Amino acid sequence: MRTIVTFLIVFGVLVIVHEFGHFFFAKRAGILVREFAIGMGPKIYAHMGKDGTTYTLRLLPIGGYVRMAGLEDEETELSPGMPMSLELDGQGNVQRINVSKKVQLPNSIPLELIAADLVDDLTIRGYENGDESQEVIYTVNHDATVIEENGTEVRIAPRDVQFQSATIGARMLTNFAGPMNNFILTIILFIALAFMQGGISVPNTNQIGTVQPGSPAAEAGIEDNSRILAINDKEISDWNDLTAEIQANPGKEVTMVVAEDGNERTISLTPETTENAGQKIGRIGVGPHMKTGIVDMVAGGFSQTWNLVKEIFKALGSLVTGFSLNKLGGPVMMYQMSSQAASQGIRTVIYLMAFLSVNLGIVNLLPIPAFDGGKILLNIIEALRGKPMDPEKEGLITMAGFVFIMVLMILVTWNDISRFFF
């Protein structure tokens, strides 16, 4: 249960923060956000806000989306001959259009649709109450809603609130805002971690921080803020060198050259054996050197984010030179990581959230159709050409990208299941 709760919290925060970026800047650009969804698949809960956005919670915790007016694949299909019911406002204009068999509107008018224009003319034509001898035409309110076949109620999308009606700059910013929010969240989480642990670690020095009482380092007489100059005759220049040598020698005696107050001495100690991800590693009970100033901790949030970004780009580079599904992870991997983090405490959970957030931001900026980066690339092409791409071509490109991502997600998920459960 703890793992499930941790997974849902981490997943929920990442998706909400990412999608809120798109949502916020779409609203600022005058674009109608018809739906703000957390999760994918069947709807569990839906509520239409006063801002015209329907907020939904969906069954599958594998993502989320904002459904913006005017994007072709997000429009409600109204076809001739479709039965529906209309609810009118006080002026006799259509306020709600119901095409769902799951919802009944009291005092509504049954209509067999002939044609509807919910973009420019805002009219709907049809036969009322089954009477095909007389065609009726209704004016549709600019802020009318449609109750779709699955029961979700969303606003209609007149031309002036559609995505393509916004400026190219506003659309580009709307597409970029999701990843941007992930980077901001990562920085905030690393700053919070720095305050929780009382400082920011300094990995590029051989100076250690605190020594845990009762640990092998404490029993060997190593003091706080000492410098570890060498281990087994190998020079130690930073924290990574130190941890690599210690972890490689579980239960084996090592010789260390330690500097304290300007004096050097040689000591011997035996790292205790611990397990990490099924592997035995050594541990001596020392922490990294810390900077404890407020400015240092805030700056550390930025530097840690940047260091993580560089590591992710190195990992992406390794995918190009040697692709392997084992280098990728999906929801199952995220669940496994949540399980490990939940057992190690709140700090580990926060670090995991920061790690996944910056990963989500970078991956979404890759120039792949259906990703935010692919959409931004199309925005740039439109700006250079001075006119938008043909909607059919753009739709085909986006669909190809979507199919690619879905196939890759299925392969990654199956690979994760095979790795962790078989």
Side-chain angles (χ1 to χ4, degrees), residues 23 28 30 41 59 63 118 140 145 152 188-189 199 216 218 246 252 254 267 296 347 353 363 375 381 388:
F23 172 84
R28 281 179 60 96
L59 182 62
L118 304 181
V140 180
T145 61
T152 302
I188 291 172
L189 290 172
I246 295 300
K252 301 176 183 178
V254 297
I267 61 173
D296 291 322
R347 294 184 189 178
M353 193 182 296
V363 169
K375 296 173 184 177
I381 292 172

PDB file of all heavy atoms in Angstrom, residues 23 28 30 41 59 63 118 140 145 152 188-189 199 216 218 246 252 254 267 296 347 353 363 375 381 388:
ATOM      1  N   PHE A  23      -1.817  24.138 -19.686  1.00  0.00           N
ATOM      2  CA  PHE A  23      -3.120  24.712 -19.344  1.00  0.00           C
ATOM      3  C   PHE A  23      -3.015  26.218 -19.095  1.00  0.00           C
ATOM      4  O   PHE A  23      -3.771  27.015 -19.657  1.00  0.00           O
ATOM      5  CB  PHE A  23      -3.650  23.988 -18.099  1.00  0.00           C
ATOM      6  CG  PHE A  23      -4.891  24.576 -17.498  1.00  0.00           C
ATOM      7  CD1 PHE A  23      -6.138  24.240 -18.000  1.00  0.00           C
ATOM      8  CD2 PHE A  23      -4.819  25.446 -16.420  1.00  0.00           C
ATOM      9  CE1 PHE A  23      -7.290  24.771 -17.429  1.00  0.00           C
ATOM     10  CE2 PHE A  23      -5.953  25.975 -15.854  1.00  0.00           C
ATOM     11  CZ  PHE A  23      -7.197  25.643 -16.354  1.00  0.00           C
ATOM     12  N   ARG A  28      -3.812  31.870 -20.999  1.00  0.00           N
ATOM     13  CA  ARG A  28      -3.269  33.223 -21.208  1.00  0.00           C
ATOM     14  C   ARG A  28      -3.345  33.639 -22.675  1.00  0.00           C
ATOM     15  O   ARG A  28      -3.512  34.813 -22.986  1.00  0.00           O
ATOM     16  CB  ARG A  28      -1.809  33.292 -20.738  1.00  0.00           C
ATOM     17  CG  ARG A  28      -1.632  33.421 -19.243  1.00  0.00           C
ATOM     18  CD  ARG A  28      -0.157  33.444 -18.891  1.00  0.00           C
ATOM     19  NE  ARG A  28       0.539  34.552 -19.523  1.00  0.00           N
ATOM     20  CZ  ARG A  28       0.785  35.727 -18.947  1.00  0.00           C
ATOM     21  NH1 ARG A  28       0.359  35.935 -17.710  1.00  0.00           N
ATOM     22  NH2 ARG A  28       1.444  36.661 -19.574  1.00  0.00           N
ATOM     23  N   GLY A  30      -5.701  32.812 -24.664  1.00  0.00           N
ATOM     24  CA  GLY A  30      -7.091  32.857 -25.103  1.00  0.00           C
ATOM     25  C   GLY A  30      -7.570  31.559 -25.722  1.00  0.00           C
ATOM     26  O   GLY A  30      -8.639  31.523 -26.343  1.00  0.00           O
ATOM     27  N   GLY A  41      -7.506   6.568 -20.600  1.00  0.00           N
ATOM     28  CA  GLY A  41      -8.493   5.506 -20.607  1.00  0.00           C
ATOM     29  C   GLY A  41      -9.841   5.947 -20.069  1.00  0.00           C
ATOM     30  O   GLY A  41     -10.185   7.145 -20.091  1.00  0.00           O
ATOM     31  N   LEU A  59      -8.754   6.182 -15.610  1.00  0.00           N
ATOM     32  CA  LEU A  59      -8.402   4.941 -14.929  1.00  0.00           C
ATOM     33  C   LEU A  59      -6.921   4.593 -14.957  1.00  0.00           C
ATOM     34  O   LEU A  59      -6.350   4.177 -13.954  1.00  0.00           O
ATOM     35  CB  LEU A  59      -9.203   3.785 -15.554  1.00  0.00           C
ATOM     36  CG  LEU A  59      -8.991   2.396 -14.931  1.00  0.00           C
ATOM     37  CD1 LEU A  59      -9.427   2.403 -13.472  1.00  0.00           C
ATOM     38  CD2 LEU A  59      -9.760   1.347 -15.726  1.00  0.00           C
ATOM     39  N   GLY A  63      -0.184   8.759 -17.737  1.00  0.00           N
ATOM     40  CA  GLY A  63      -0.029  10.057 -18.387  1.00  0.00           C
ATOM     41  C   GLY A  63      -1.180  10.984 -18.061  1.00  0.00           C
ATOM     42  O   GLY A  63      -1.880  10.829 -17.067  1.00  0.00           O
ATOM     43  N   LEU A 118     -20.465  24.495 -35.337  1.00  0.00           N
ATOM     44  CA  LEU A 118     -20.162  24.956 -33.979  1.00  0.00           C
ATOM     45  C   LEU A 118     -18.861  25.748 -33.936  1.00  0.00           C
ATOM     46  O   LEU A 118     -18.322  25.984 -32.868  1.00  0.00           O
ATOM     47  CB  LEU A 118     -20.071  23.758 -33.026  1.00  0.00           C
ATOM     48  CG  LEU A 118     -21.300  22.835 -32.975  1.00  0.00           C
ATOM     49  CD1 LEU A 118     -21.086  21.713 -31.969  1.00  0.00           C
ATOM     50  CD2 LEU A 118     -22.561  23.618 -32.664  1.00  0.00           C
ATOM     51  N   VAL A 140     -26.654  28.564 -31.608  1.00  0.00           N
ATOM     52  CA  VAL A 140     -25.927  27.933 -30.503  1.00  0.00           C
ATOM     53  C   VAL A 140     -25.157  28.992 -29.730  1.00  0.00           C
ATOM     54  O   VAL A 140     -24.460  29.830 -30.318  1.00  0.00           O
ATOM     55  CB  VAL A 140     -24.951  26.858 -31.035  1.00  0.00           C
ATOM     56  CG1 VAL A 140     -24.198  26.198 -29.886  1.00  0.00           C
ATOM     57  CG2 VAL A 140     -25.708  25.811 -31.847  1.00  0.00           C
ATOM     58  N   THR A 145     -22.191  23.736 -24.388  1.00  0.00           N
ATOM     59  CA  THR A 145     -21.429  22.514 -24.126  1.00  0.00           C
ATOM     60  C   THR A 145     -22.021  21.339 -24.891  1.00  0.00           C
ATOM     61  O   THR A 145     -23.187  21.358 -25.296  1.00  0.00           O
ATOM     62  CB  THR A 145     -21.424  22.171 -22.622  1.00  0.00           C
ATOM     63  OG1 THR A 145     -22.771  21.954 -22.174  1.00  0.00           O
ATOM     64  CG2 THR A 145     -20.804  23.292 -21.809  1.00  0.00           C
ATOM     65  N   THR A 152     -18.876  12.586 -21.020  1.00  0.00           N
ATOM     66  CA  THR A 152     -18.055  13.745 -20.661  1.00  0.00           C
ATOM     67  C   THR A 152     -18.624  15.008 -21.293  1.00  0.00           C
ATOM     68  O   THR A 152     -18.914  15.037 -22.490  1.00  0.00           O
ATOM     69  CB  THR A 152     -16.602  13.552 -21.138  1.00  0.00           C
ATOM     70  OG1 THR A 152     -16.068  12.360 -20.567  1.00  0.00           O
ATOM     71  CG2 THR A 152     -15.743  14.743 -20.727  1.00  0.00           C
ATOM     72  N   ILE A 188      12.941  23.258  -7.639  1.00  0.00           N
ATOM     73  CA  ILE A 188      12.294  23.458  -6.334  1.00  0.00           C
ATOM     74  C   ILE A 188      12.509  22.245  -5.431  1.00  0.00           C
ATOM     75  O   ILE A 188      12.793  22.378  -4.226  1.00  0.00           O
ATOM     76  CB  ILE A 188      10.789  23.731  -6.529  1.00  0.00           C
ATOM     77  CG1 ILE A 188      10.581  25.101  -7.188  1.00  0.00           C
ATOM     78  CG2 ILE A 188      10.044  23.679  -5.191  1.00  0.00           C
ATOM     79  CD1 ILE A 188       9.151  25.384  -7.585  1.00  0.00           C
ATOM     80  N   LEU A 189      12.386  21.050  -5.984  1.00  0.00           N
ATOM     81  CA  LEU A 189      12.563  19.831  -5.184  1.00  0.00           C
ATOM     82  C   LEU A 189      13.990  19.694  -4.676  1.00  0.00           C
ATOM     83  O   LEU A 189      14.210  19.311  -3.517  1.00  0.00           O
ATOM     84  CB  LEU A 189      12.185  18.604  -6.016  1.00  0.00           C
ATOM     85  CG  LEU A 189      10.688  18.439  -6.324  1.00  0.00           C
ATOM     86  CD1 LEU A 189      10.467  17.299  -7.312  1.00  0.00           C
ATOM     87  CD2 LEU A 189       9.894  18.191  -5.045  1.00  0.00           C
ATOM     88  N   GLY A 199      21.897  21.354   4.017  1.00  0.00           N
ATOM     89  CA  GLY A 199      22.942  21.892   3.155  1.00  0.00           C
ATOM     90  C   GLY A 199      22.927  21.209   1.802  1.00  0.00           C
ATOM     91  O   GLY A 199      22.136  20.302   1.543  1.00  0.00           O
ATOM     92  N   PRO A 216      32.154   2.219  10.626  1.00  0.00           N
ATOM     93  CA  PRO A 216      33.570   1.857  10.466  1.00  0.00           C
ATOM     94  C   PRO A 216      34.489   3.075  10.431  1.00  0.00           C
ATOM     95  O   PRO A 216      35.601   3.030  10.981  1.00  0.00           O
ATOM     96  CB  PRO A 216      33.583   1.111   9.121  1.00  0.00           C
ATOM     97  CG  PRO A 216      32.221   0.521   9.010  1.00  0.00           C
ATOM     98  CD  PRO A 216      31.295   1.545   9.628  1.00  0.00           C
ATOM     99  N   ALA A 218      33.984   6.003  11.955  1.00  0.00           N
ATOM    100  CA  ALA A 218      34.090   6.549  13.308  1.00  0.00           C
ATOM    101  C   ALA A 218      35.001   5.691  14.173  1.00  0.00           C
ATOM    102  O   ALA A 218      35.822   6.205  14.949  1.00  0.00           O
ATOM    103  CB  ALA A 218      32.696   6.655  13.929  1.00  0.00           C
ATOM    104  N   ILE A 246      35.170   2.575  -2.023  1.00  0.00           N
ATOM    105  CA  ILE A 246      34.581   1.959  -0.830  1.00  0.00           C
ATOM    106  C   ILE A 246      33.560   0.903  -1.229  1.00  0.00           C
ATOM    107  O   ILE A 246      33.538  -0.209  -0.686  1.00  0.00           O
ATOM    108  CB  ILE A 246      33.944   3.026   0.081  1.00  0.00           C
ATOM    109  CG1 ILE A 246      35.018   3.977   0.640  1.00  0.00           C
ATOM    110  CG2 ILE A 246      33.169   2.365   1.219  1.00  0.00           C
ATOM    111  CD1 ILE A 246      36.084   3.281   1.457  1.00  0.00           C
ATOM    112  N   LYS A 252      36.215  -6.036   2.967  1.00  0.00           N
ATOM    113  CA  LYS A 252      37.654  -6.171   2.740  1.00  0.00           C
ATOM    114  C   LYS A 252      38.386  -4.985   3.355  1.00  0.00           C
ATOM    115  O   LYS A 252      37.972  -3.841   3.201  1.00  0.00           O
ATOM    116  CB  LYS A 252      37.958  -6.232   1.240  1.00  0.00           C
ATOM    117  CG  LYS A 252      37.279  -7.374   0.506  1.00  0.00           C
ATOM    118  CD  LYS A 252      37.563  -7.282  -0.990  1.00  0.00           C
ATOM    119  CE  LYS A 252      36.825  -8.377  -1.765  1.00  0.00           C
ATOM    120  NZ  LYS A 252      37.061  -8.242  -3.224  1.00  0.00           N
ATOM    121  N   VAL A 254      40.777  -1.969   3.804  1.00  0.00           N
ATOM    122  CA  VAL A 254      41.390  -1.010   2.893  1.00  0.00           C
ATOM    123  C   VAL A 254      42.298  -0.079   3.701  1.00  0.00           C
ATOM    124  O   VAL A 254      42.094   0.126   4.903  1.00  0.00           O
ATOM    125  CB  VAL A 254      40.327  -0.174   2.138  1.00  0.00           C
ATOM    126  CG1 VAL A 254      39.450  -1.043   1.258  1.00  0.00           C
ATOM    127  CG2 VAL A 254      39.459   0.635   3.114  1.00  0.00           C
ATOM    128  N   ILE A 267      45.510   5.003   7.884  1.00  0.00           N
ATOM    129  CA  ILE A 267      44.703   4.133   8.736  1.00  0.00           C
ATOM    130  C   ILE A 267      44.194   2.960   7.912  1.00  0.00           C
ATOM    131  O   ILE A 267      44.189   2.989   6.685  1.00  0.00           O
ATOM    132  CB  ILE A 267      43.501   4.883   9.351  1.00  0.00           C
ATOM    133  CG1 ILE A 267      42.574   5.397   8.235  1.00  0.00           C
ATOM    134  CG2 ILE A 267      43.962   6.035  10.230  1.00  0.00           C
ATOM    135  CD1 ILE A 267      41.285   5.987   8.762  1.00  0.00           C
ATOM    136  N   ASP A 296      23.847  29.172  -0.995  1.00  0.00           N
ATOM    137  CA  ASP A 296      24.442  27.935  -1.511  1.00  0.00           C
ATOM    138  C   ASP A 296      23.368  26.878  -1.771  1.00  0.00           C
ATOM    139  O   ASP A 296      23.415  26.174  -2.784  1.00  0.00           O
ATOM    140  CB  ASP A 296      25.463  27.379  -0.515  1.00  0.00           C
ATOM    141  CG  ASP A 296      26.700  28.254  -0.406  1.00  0.00           C
ATOM    142  OD1 ASP A 296      27.136  28.782  -1.445  1.00  0.00           O
ATOM    143  OD2 ASP A 296      27.206  28.406   0.715  1.00  0.00           O
ATOM    144  N   ARG A 347      13.057  11.707   1.818  1.00  0.00           N
ATOM    145  CA  ARG A 347      14.097  12.355   1.010  1.00  0.00           C
ATOM    146  C   ARG A 347      14.331  11.607  -0.294  1.00  0.00           C
ATOM    147  O   ARG A 347      14.509  12.228  -1.352  1.00  0.00           O
ATOM    148  CB  ARG A 347      15.401  12.455   1.800  1.00  0.00           C
ATOM    149  CG  ARG A 347      15.327  13.381   3.013  1.00  0.00           C
ATOM    150  CD  ARG A 347      16.687  13.497   3.665  1.00  0.00           C
ATOM    151  NE  ARG A 347      16.621  14.202   4.939  1.00  0.00           N
ATOM    152  CZ  ARG A 347      17.655  14.408   5.731  1.00  0.00           C
ATOM    153  NH1 ARG A 347      18.856  13.961   5.386  1.00  0.00           N
ATOM    154  NH2 ARG A 347      17.504  15.062   6.872  1.00  0.00           N
ATOM    155  N   MET A 353      11.256  11.995  -7.383  1.00  0.00           N
ATOM    156  CA  MET A 353      10.351  12.888  -8.093  1.00  0.00           C
ATOM    157  C   MET A 353      11.129  13.906  -8.923  1.00  0.00           C
ATOM    158  O   MET A 353      10.775  14.194 -10.076  1.00  0.00           O
ATOM    159  CB  MET A 353       9.428  13.604  -7.096  1.00  0.00           C
ATOM    160  CG  MET A 353       8.248  14.315  -7.736  1.00  0.00           C
ATOM    161  SD  MET A 353       7.220  15.188  -6.526  1.00  0.00           S
ATOM    162  CE  MET A 353       6.623  13.805  -5.543  1.00  0.00           C
ATOM    163  N   VAL A 363      12.643  14.464 -22.202  1.00  0.00           N
ATOM    164  CA  VAL A 363      12.085  13.536 -23.194  1.00  0.00           C
ATOM    165  C   VAL A 363      10.975  14.206 -23.996  1.00  0.00           C
ATOM    166  O   VAL A 363      10.868  14.024 -25.211  1.00  0.00           O
ATOM    167  CB  VAL A 363      11.576  12.250 -22.503  1.00  0.00           C
ATOM    168  CG1 VAL A 363      10.762  11.402 -23.472  1.00  0.00           C
ATOM    169  CG2 VAL A 363      12.746  11.448 -21.954  1.00  0.00           C
ATOM    170  N   LYS A 375       5.912  19.286 -31.593  1.00  0.00           N
ATOM    171  CA  LYS A 375       4.969  20.384 -31.840  1.00  0.00           C
ATOM    172  C   LYS A 375       5.705  21.715 -31.970  1.00  0.00           C
ATOM    173  O   LYS A 375       5.356  22.550 -32.816  1.00  0.00           O
ATOM    174  CB  LYS A 375       3.952  20.453 -30.704  1.00  0.00           C
ATOM    175  CG  LYS A 375       3.059  19.218 -30.604  1.00  0.00           C
ATOM    176  CD  LYS A 375       2.183  19.268 -29.360  1.00  0.00           C
ATOM    177  CE  LYS A 375       1.373  17.993 -29.206  1.00  0.00           C
ATOM    178  NZ  LYS A 375       0.564  17.986 -27.956  1.00  0.00           N
ATOM    179  N   ILE A 381       8.793  25.622 -37.992  1.00  0.00           N
ATOM    180  CA  ILE A 381       8.653  25.496 -39.448  1.00  0.00           C
ATOM    181  C   ILE A 381       7.593  26.461 -39.965  1.00  0.00           C
ATOM    182  O   ILE A 381       7.776  27.128 -40.991  1.00  0.00           O
ATOM    183  CB  ILE A 381       8.298  24.041 -39.821  1.00  0.00           C
ATOM    184  CG1 ILE A 381       9.479  23.119 -39.515  1.00  0.00           C
ATOM    185  CG2 ILE A 381       7.911  23.941 -41.290  1.00  0.00           C
ATOM    186  CD1 ILE A 381       9.166  21.639 -39.677  1.00  0.00           C
ATOM    187  N   PRO A 388       0.968  28.227 -41.970  1.00  0.00           N
ATOM    188  CA  PRO A 388       0.911  26.926 -41.308  1.00  0.00           C
ATOM    189  C   PRO A 388       1.028  25.778 -42.302  1.00  0.00           C
ATOM    190  O   PRO A 388       0.737  25.923 -43.494  1.00  0.00           O
ATOM    191  CB  PRO A 388      -0.472  26.935 -40.634  1.00  0.00           C
ATOM    192  CG  PRO A 388      -1.274  27.917 -41.415  1.00  0.00           C
ATOM    193  CD  PRO A 388      -0.301  28.964 -41.886  1.00  0.00           C
TER     194      PRO A 388
END
